[in-house]
Amino acid sequence: MARPKIPRKSTTIDMTAMCDVAFLLLSFFILTTKFKPSEAVTVTTPSSVASKVAPDKDVVLISITKDGKAFLAMDDADKREQVLNTLNVTNSLKWTDAELKSIAKLDFFGVPLEQLKQQAVLDKKAQNDKSLPGIPVQDTTNNQMNQWVKAVASVYAGTTLNLLVKGDNESQFPAFKNVMAAFKKNELFKFQMVTSPENVPEGSALWISNKRGGADKAEE
């Protein structure tokens, strides 16, 4: 008896639908991707094995560049305006309300107090650590960080303040010293250093402590 002959079918697969989906996904990612903007103040922090994450709320950040320039930034817009208002009164800067609000829109402050109005009218691209002189901290006789920290301590009194210092790996010691002096003078003894995290060396005390902590959690 003869076996029936089964007709052979084509093995070609229509890839049109898959290509359409691939191009749609590619277009979506291209159109929605946002590249990280370059930082206005370039600071290369030293590395450390600390595992604590820096807070992102109620932050007053002081950055110190490798040239020893100091910059100050605050995340709370209301507190930022209050600090500027305090500086305006205590230093007799005579800013008008419009000027004060214009200065309060700055992302960070990096000039002597008397020049903040000029910084406020600069294009954002011109506001960086290369074009701005920084807040005076190099000379102990003109350490304006004292005024800033005093105003910050006054405005944040009784509320949460996360004081951070982000210093460059090659920054100059006098700038650090005078920033710390400003903290001490205004009795702000609690602050955190911002560093780049690195792996804990295996066998070190911290590595053993972390391992014990993980084991304890696993047992719980």
Side-chain angles (χ1 to χ4, degrees):
M1 182 177 176
R3 298 175 60 186
K5 190 174 182 180
I6 301 174
R8 301 183 64 181
K9 295 183 179 179
S10 172
T11 57
T12 304
I13 300 174
D14 187 359
M15 302 289 287
T16 307
M18 195 175 78
C19 290
D20 288 346
V21 171
F23 277 108
L24 281 172
L25 288 173
L26 182 62
S27 302
F28 172 77
F29 287 120
I30 290 174
L31 294 173
T32 58
T33 298
K34 290 184 179 179
F35 295 98
K36 183 181 178 182
S38 57
E39 293 185 357
V41 179
T42 307
V43 174
T44 304
T45 55
S47 59
S48 76
V49 296
S51 57
K52 190 174 182 180
V53 179
D56 57 1
K57 190 178 178 184
D58 303 317
V59 168
V60 174
L61 171 66
I62 296 172
S63 302
I64 303 174
T65 68
K66 65 179 180 181
D67 300 321
K69 294 180 180 178
F71 299 83
L72 187 144
M74 287 176 278
D75 67 328
D76 189 318
D78 291 336
K79 295 275 178 57
R80 186 163 58 227
E81 192 167 329
Q82 291 177 46
V83 168
L84 288 169
N85 190 43
T86 303
L87 289 169
N88 189 27
V89 174
T90 56
N91 293 277
S92 303
L93 297 169
K94 299 179 180 177
W95 295 331
T96 64
D97 288 344
E99 289 170 340
L100 193 146
K101 289 185 181 300
S102 175
I103 296 169
K105 292 178 182 177
L106 290 170
D107 295 329
F108 63 91
F109 309 104
V111 294
L113 289 171
E114 303 79 13
Q115 298 175 22
L116 277 173
K117 285 196 296 184
Q118 287 82 348
Q119 184 187 341
V121 298
L122 282 176
D123 186 86
K124 277 194 175 296
K125 292 181 180 177
Q127 297 184 32
N128 54 59
D129 58 304
K130 294 180 177 58
S131 61
L132 300 179
I135 297 171
V137 293
Q138 293 288 346
D139 187 352
T140 53
T141 60
N142 184 27
N143 184 359
Q144 288 195 1
M145 191 59 73
N146 280 333
Q147 307 299 322
W148 281 98
V149 175
K150 185 177 181 179
V152 166
S154 171
V155 169
Y156 279 82
T159 64
T160 303
L161 168 61
N162 292 311
L163 191 57
L164 306 181
V165 178
K166 185 178 181 181
D168 194 280
N169 207 19
E170 300 178 13
S171 52
Q172 300 175 0
F173 174 72
F176 263 106
K177 179 185 174 185
N178 290 333
V179 168
M180 298 302 115
F183 291 170
K184 185 177 179 182
K185 189 170 184 178
N186 293 286
E187 300 184 346
L188 289 178
F189 303 111
K190 186 178 179 182
F191 64 92
Q192 297 179 50
M193 299 293 295
V194 179
T195 57
S196 300
E198 65 177 23
N199 293 330
V200 180
E202 191 169 336
S204 64
L206 181 59
W207 181 83
I208 295 171
S209 174
N210 290 344
K211 196 173 180 181
R212 285 177 178 169
D216 292 343
K217 287 181 181 178
E219 290 176 0
E220 291 173 2

